[in-house]
Amino acid sequence: YDLKGRYVVEDCDSKNGTYISYKGEPKSEMQLKKGAPPNAIQNNSIVRFGAISFTFLEHRPQTS
C-alpha cells in the first residue's frame, strides 16, 4: 500500500521472479525488474511469485 492509496508490488531481488498480469491472463504478464519502482496493481490482477500465482481481489464496503 503506498501513499497514493494504491496497492503495489515490487521485486525484492527474488530468485524466481515476480510477475504481474493486469488483464488477468497469464499470457499478458510482465516480469518486474529488480530495483524498479513498485507497480500499482488493480482489481483482478494476477501476481505471480515464481510458480505461485495470486489473484488480487479488492473488496470495498458498500456505503449507504
Side-chain angles (χ1 to χ4, degrees), residues 9 16-21 26 29 46-54:
V9 175
N16 296 313
T18 303
Y19 303 82
I20 295 177
S21 171
E29 72 180 15
I46 295 175
V47 180
R48 181 166 67 88
F49 305 101
I52 306 298
S53 297
F54 299 90

Side-chain angles (χ1 to χ4, degrees), residues 37-59:
N39 287 313
I41 55 175
Q42 58 196 25
N43 196 36
N44 290 318
S45 293
I46 295 175
V47 180
R48 181 166 67 88
F49 305 101
I52 306 298
S53 297
F54 299 90
T55 301
F56 176 75
L57 300 173
E58 184 176 15
H59 174 74

Side-chain angles (χ1 to χ4, degrees), residues 2-30:
D2 73 359
L3 296 176
K4 295 180 182 178
R6 303 173 300 183
Y7 291 94
V8 296
V9 175
E10 66 181 304
D11 186 85
C12 296
D13 198 20
S14 65
K15 292 182 181 181
N16 296 313
T18 303
Y19 303 82
I20 295 177
S21 171
Y22 293 106
K23 297 178 181 178
E25 300 171 3
K27 292 179 183 179
S28 68
E29 72 180 15
M30 65 176 214

